[in-house]
Amino acid sequence: MAEPTQSSWEALDGKSLLLKLQEYAMSSGISDIHFSPEKTFVRTEVRLHGVLRLIAHISATAYDQLVRHVKFLSKLKLNITNIPQDGQYTFEAPGRVVNVRVASMPTRFGEKFTLRLLDPKKGIVPLEKLGLPTEIHTKLAQLVQLPNGLILVTGPTGSGKTTTLYSLIQTLVGTERNIITLENPIEYELAGIVQSQVDFDHDYTFASGLRSILRHDPDVVLVGEIRDLETAQTAVDAALTGHLVLSTLHTNSAIEAIPRLLSMGVSPYTFAPSLRAILAQRLVRTFTPECSKEGAKCDPLAHDTYGGQTAIPELLIVTPKIREMILTNETSAAIETQAKAEGYWSMRMWGEKYITDRITSPSEVVRVSV
């Protein structure tokens, strides 16, 4: 479906506008739709391949109709406009049901709405099709077969951490292991595993939920996010007592995850022996087939130069030497030096290889890497 023009939106009412946006999003691979009220119009933007793009300015009247319809679908209170609200709804796309996470917030000119589209077609991807370098996905496939230990995936929001975790978990379905997840929220349904969702209003947190999971004889546990000491230490202790634990953390690099957890107060004497690996990643836009050709004259700043996304990774395998350095509280710089001596590649190093291989452009690597 071609990108809509400003005139194609102007005659639509709110309900028709939402349906049109959903159809366009599904055909284009859009992950988020943003509505931002301004003084005389509402700015409508979409996130495509990780980049926010303006597609239209819609009238306040059409937006008011759209908001009422979105609130109805997602069971938000119609008369509440001065505080943030969160909800969700689903719609049918060809061959699948798409979940939409809805968030509102009050602004100077009215409520801003953001719709996050959780498309199962995009979310559950075989590990070998994530686009990671062969040596990275081969090592990840080996790591996830370990009987115990802690594997972390780090990166900012929108860097593909959840997609990678689902891919890892999917390789274990049907392998006679009891797999239980604790998520916030459950983004995609996976057959063959037990999925649970935190509920902070009823004190069902990552920490309390993880303690509960451990009473259900799991082999593999996926914890959506480590955000406090109690969750971190419980995850580490679980990894030490015969469970394979996978989780995420918000850090800029793989190595930064080590001081982050230690600064939370996790004991290095339990953390060092439990940690198996840390994967950090960022998503970059990838060239279209035409622009990936040697000598192609494509503008690296033009949207149509790119046709998809892939992850730039860095995978830190915890070797005996690095484990010893964690125990002795060595600096991140010292750990990185040792890791590189053992074959570790940083995200920037992988980015340079992606540029050489004409997977993406230098500007893309600079945009996402540290």
Side-chain angles (χ1 to χ4, degrees):
M1 183 177 176
E3 183 167 321
T5 60
Q6 175 69 38
S7 60
S8 68
W9 299 112
E10 291 174 350
L12 298 174
D13 60 29
K15 183 176 180 179
S16 300
L17 181 58
L18 182 63
L19 291 172
K20 193 80 170 177
L21 278 166
Q22 289 173 173
E23 181 185 357
Y24 171 52
M26 290 302 96
S27 65
S28 306
I30 286 163
S31 61
D32 302 83
I33 304 172
H34 293 255
F35 301 99
S36 304
E38 299 199 7
K39 193 169 186 179
T40 58
F41 57 84
V42 176
R43 194 171 71 251
T44 304
E45 296 163 303
V46 296
R47 190 171 296 281
L48 178 61
H49 303 147
V51 175
L52 200 63
R53 299 171 60 171
L54 175 68
I55 60 168
H57 292 157
I58 61 175
S59 70
T61 302
Y63 182 57
D64 184 59
Q65 294 172 349
L66 182 143
V67 164
R68 292 182 67 83
H69 188 55
V70 167
K71 283 188 170 183
F72 171 75
L73 291 173
S74 52
K75 297 180 172 58
L76 301 185
K77 294 179 180 177
L78 292 172
N79 60 330
I80 299 295
T81 60
N82 60 344
I83 59 173
Q85 296 190 76
D86 297 296
Q88 62 178 18
Y89 70 92
T90 61
F91 68 88
E92 290 192 5
R96 66 223 192 255
V97 175
V98 178
N99 183 267
V100 183
R101 286 164 57 185
V102 178
S104 75
M105 64 178 290
T107 74
R108 183 183 180 188
F109 297 116
E111 286 183 283
K112 171 181 171 53
F113 271 78
T114 300
L115 310 183
R116 168 151 287 187
L117 308 174
L118 302 174
D119 186 353
K121 184 178 177 182
K122 292 173 60 180
I124 303 172
V125 181
L127 185 59
E128 66 276 9
K129 293 186 178 179
L130 281 177
L132 294 169
T134 302
E135 51 264 58
I136 297 289
H137 81 66
T138 299
K139 288 177 181 175
L140 287 173
Q142 293 168 347
L143 285 163
V144 85
Q145 297 298 327
L146 292 171
N148 56 62
L150 177 64
I151 299 173
L152 296 172
V153 181
T154 79
T157 300
S159 60
K161 298 187 300 295
T162 300
T163 300
T164 298
L165 283 175
Y166 274 116
S167 297
L168 290 170
I169 287 291
Q170 193 178 37
T171 67
L172 299 176
V173 173
T175 59
E176 299 181 336
R177 295 205 207 181
N178 182 18
I179 305 168
I180 306 179
T181 74
L182 183 63
E183 305 173 56
N184 181 33
I186 295 171
E187 296 194 5
Y188 304 103
E189 294 179 6
L190 267 174
I193 70 173
V194 176
Q195 293 176 274
S196 183
Q197 182 169 307
V198 297
D199 183 351
F200 296 110
D201 292 339
H202 296 91
D203 200 32
Y204 185 53
T205 63
F206 282 118
S208 65
L210 180 53
R211 289 196 305 272
S212 175
I213 284 173
L214 294 175
R215 293 192 286 270
H216 288 267
D217 185 33
D219 298 294
V220 181
V221 179
L222 188 156
V223 184
E225 182 182 350
I226 292 176
R227 57 170 66 174
D228 56 56
L229 173 58
E230 187 178 5
T231 308
Q233 191 64 61
T234 304
V236 165
D237 292 343
L240 277 178
T241 54
H243 308 88
L244 182 65
V245 181
L246 294 84
S247 191
T248 72
L249 203 64
H250 290 279
T251 62
N252 287 326
S253 69
I255 288 169
E256 282 181 33
I258 295 171
R260 172 67 57 82
L261 282 167
L262 292 175
S263 69
M264 283 184 182
V266 174
S267 162
Y269 301 103
T270 54
F271 178 47
S274 70
L275 185 63
R276 297 289 180 263
I278 306 168
L279 172 72
Q281 63 182 59
R282 297 287 192 284
L283 293 178
V284 290
R285 293 182 294 175
T286 55
F287 287 138
T288 62
E290 188 61 37
C291 291
S292 66
K293 294 176 181 176
E294 197 68 44
K297 303 296 184 183
C298 297
D299 179 359
L301 300 181
H303 292 310
D304 58 8
T305 293
Y306 305 96
Q309 282 181 295
T310 195
I312 296 183
E314 52 183 31
L315 179 62
L316 176 70
I317 305 290
V318 180
T319 61
K321 180 61 179 176
I322 289 174
R323 186 168 291 115
E324 182 183 325
M325 295 177 80
I326 296 172
L327 279 169
T328 55
N329 205 23
E330 292 284 353
T331 65
S332 297
I335 293 174
E336 183 171 6
T337 298
Q338 177 62 32
K340 285 182 176 178
E342 297 178 354
Y344 166 81
W345 275 34
S346 69
M347 205 174 295
R348 183 57 67 91
M349 292 165 73
W350 278 114
E352 289 170 358
K353 179 169 172 47
Y354 281 27
I355 293 166
T356 301
D357 293 345
R358 295 202 58 79
I359 294 170
T360 193
S361 65
S363 59
E364 277 295 291
V365 172
V366 169
R367 181 175 69 84
V368 303
S369 62
V370 290

